[in-house]
Amino acid sequence: MPPHAGQGVSCAVEDAVAIALLLKHYRISHRFGTDDSLRRTAKAYEAVRMNRVGKILDIAARMGETKKMQTWWREKIRDWALWLFCKLPESLNDAQFGYDVEVDIAKYIAKSGCEPN
């Protein structure tokens, strides 16, 4: 995650929760061996996380390009827009800030039809 995106720690925490939940779901037992459990966990992790992380990386790339060469006037407009954005009701930002990784994992598990061990 690029440092100017401001999403590195957030994505890392989401990743940790996703991996923990998936490891719990595909835990090693008589049904799955260690290799199979890890393979299933990695496949599910990628399926769940790649879409969200890809969107964040796309936004970060666009924002990084706009920061390279800004005039004084554009910086002021950006700062004002950010100030205004922070004053808006939180519910308008639910798509980005209301993300729940646990819900995403539960949907994936339900859709995949795989019963826990």
Side-chain angles (χ1 to χ4, degrees):
M1 193 60 59
H4 63 271
Q7 294 294 312
V9 172
S10 298
C11 285
V13 171
E14 289 174 2
D15 288 344
V17 171
I19 290 171
L21 291 170
L22 290 166
L23 282 171
K24 179 181 176 185
H25 180 73
Y26 295 114
R27 67 187 175 271
I28 300 165
S29 73
H30 64 280
R31 200 168 114 194
F32 300 126
T34 303
D35 289 345
D36 194 35
S37 292
L38 295 176
R39 192 176 314 106
R40 288 170 182 264
T41 297
K43 181 180 176 187
Y45 166 80
E46 190 170 312
V48 172
R49 296 293 294 152
M50 286 301 120
N51 187 35
R52 176 167 169 79
V53 173
K55 287 178 184 177
I56 293 170
L57 285 171
D58 288 345
I59 292 168
R62 283 195 309 268
M63 300 213 31
E65 289 298 317
T66 62
K67 290 180 181 180
K68 286 183 179 175
M69 296 186 69
Q70 280 193 349
T71 64
W72 174 86
W73 180 244
R74 283 187 160 193
E75 286 181 15
K76 293 298 176 194
I77 291 172
R78 178 204 61 204
D79 293 347
W80 177 81
L82 186 58
W83 173 85
L84 182 63
F85 181 76
C86 291
K87 299 295 181 186
L88 295 173
E90 287 184 26
S91 62
L92 293 176
N93 301 316
D94 281 350
Q96 181 174 355
F97 302 117
Y99 175 73
D100 190 341
V101 69
E102 292 181 44
V103 170
D104 250 7
I105 298 295
K107 285 179 186 177
Y108 176 83
I109 291 170
K111 188 171 106 177
S112 70
C114 180
E115 294 296 319
N117 298 328

